[in-house]
């Protein structure tokens, strides 16, 4: 837990989490439900990440050797599913993992965002990034690091559009694509401490 159980912010977080699942509407008018991921949805998310890696879409081909490695990597994270209200189909997911870039207590988040391949080009990635920021504030994170492959122009455009992120670094070796090409990672940071919980 990021917050001490006796703190008012912890109680606020628990009240907010108890409001899940939540129903909202995408820009295209589609109704979706956001809730904690089920075990099955975690498996689906892993498969979506593997498919994205096969196409060089933001994840490295060697990022997770197995679903077990993936689950170990996100252990202790808050994992959210974006599901079509009508069909129950998983459309996208966002995982709020504790950042490895921050060396203090778990106060900085690193979001994993994945959109089902068949659901792309509908602004779901931007929707998930905005929700990741909103939920991170409500959970109590003070900052967010986003690292994305240098060839992932879509995520970089989303970050620029949302605004208030600062590019703080570049790693020359970020990951390996399906074709064996090595790509760098661009690292962004956003201070969340000044955002109110009313977002």
């Amino acid at each position: 837990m990021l917050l001490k159980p006796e703190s008012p912010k912890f109680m606020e977080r628990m009240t907010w989490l108890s409001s899940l699942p939540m129903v909202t509407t995408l820009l295209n008018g589609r109704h979706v439900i956001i809730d904690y991921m089920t075990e099955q949805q975690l498996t689906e998310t892993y498969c979506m990440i593997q498919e994205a890696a096969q196409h060089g879409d933001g994840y490295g081909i060697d990022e997770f050797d197995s679903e077990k490695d993936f689950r170990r990597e996100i252990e202790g994270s808050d994992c959210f599913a974006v599901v079509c209200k009508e069909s129950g189909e998983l459309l996208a997911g966002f995982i709020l993992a504790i950042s490895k870039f921050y060396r203090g207590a778990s106060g900085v988040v690193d979001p994993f965002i994945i959109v089902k391949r068949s659901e792309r080009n509908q602004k779901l990635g931007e929707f998930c990034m905005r929700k990741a920021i909103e939920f991170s504030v409500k959970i109590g994170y003070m900052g967010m690091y986003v690292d994305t492959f240098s060839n992932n122009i879509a995520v970089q455009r989303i970050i620029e559009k949302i605004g208030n992120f600062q590019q703080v670094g570049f790693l020359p070796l970020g990951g390996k694509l399906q074709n064996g090409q090595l790509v760098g990672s661009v690292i962004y940071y956003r201070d969340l401490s000044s955002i109110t919980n009313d977002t």
Side-chain angles (χ1 to χ4, degrees):
M1 288 287 161
L2 293 172
L3 303 168
K4 294 182 178 177
E6 64 274 8
S7 75
K9 284 199 171 255
F10 178 83
M11 294 308 295
E12 194 175 300
R13 176 187 197 259
M14 296 312 291
T15 301
W16 173 76
L17 288 175
S18 69
S19 71
L20 294 177
M22 67 171 53
V23 179
T24 190
T25 306
L26 302 177
L27 290 175
N28 63 7
R30 194 174 194 183
H31 300 294
V32 295
I33 299 169
I34 304 173
D35 200 358
Y36 267 105
M37 282 188 189
T38 64
E39 289 298 313
Q40 177 58 38
Q41 288 167 338
L42 275 171
T43 295
E44 285 182 65
T45 299
Y46 169 74
C47 292
M48 289 180 352
I49 288 171
Q50 291 304 303
E51 183 180 25
Q54 293 291 326
H55 293 89
D57 293 335
Y59 289 90
I61 197 66
D62 55 353
E63 196 151 350
F64 305 112
D65 289 333
S66 66
E67 184 177 343
K68 185 177 178 181
D69 287 342
F70 166 68
R71 285 177 177 259
R72 190 178 311 122
E73 177 76 15
I74 63 167
E75 190 174 353
S77 301
D78 288 295
C79 306
F80 300 97
V82 180
V83 176
C84 176
K85 185 175 184 248
E86 287 75 27
S87 69
E89 175 189 9
L90 179 66
L91 306 176
F94 57 100
I95 298 170
L96 304 179
I98 295 169
S99 178
K100 292 183 172 71
F101 293 119
Y102 179 66
R103 295 184 183 205
S106 54
V108 180
V109 67
D110 181 2
F112 290 50
I113 293 174
I114 186 72
V115 175
K116 192 173 197 174
R117 191 164 186 76
S118 61
E119 299 296 328
R120 296 199 180 152
N121 300 313
Q122 299 181 56
K123 300 190 182 284
L124 262 171
E126 180 183 340
F127 173 84
C128 287
M129 182 64 81
R130 289 185 186 279
K131 287 298 176 189
I133 293 166
E134 177 189 335
F135 284 26
S136 294
V137 170
K138 291 182 183 298
I139 288 170
Y141 287 104
M142 63 182 180
M144 175 182 282
Y145 279 114
V146 177
D147 68 293
T148 185
F149 284 168
S150 55
N151 69 338
N152 195 342
I153 304 304
V155 169
Q156 292 173 49
R157 284 186 180 144
I158 288 169
I159 288 169
E160 288 170 14
K161 183 176 180 182
I162 290 173
N164 296 313
F165 280 93
Q166 177 184 6
Q167 185 178 332
V168 293
F170 179 79
L171 301 174
L173 293 177
K176 185 189 287 186
L177 301 181
Q178 172 68 18
N179 64 7
Q181 176 188 357
L182 296 171
V183 291
S185 283
V186 184
I187 303 168
Y188 297 89
Y189 177 75
R190 180 166 178 175
D191 179 9
L192 300 178
S193 63
S194 61
I195 302 175
T196 66
N197 263 331
D198 300 329
T199 58

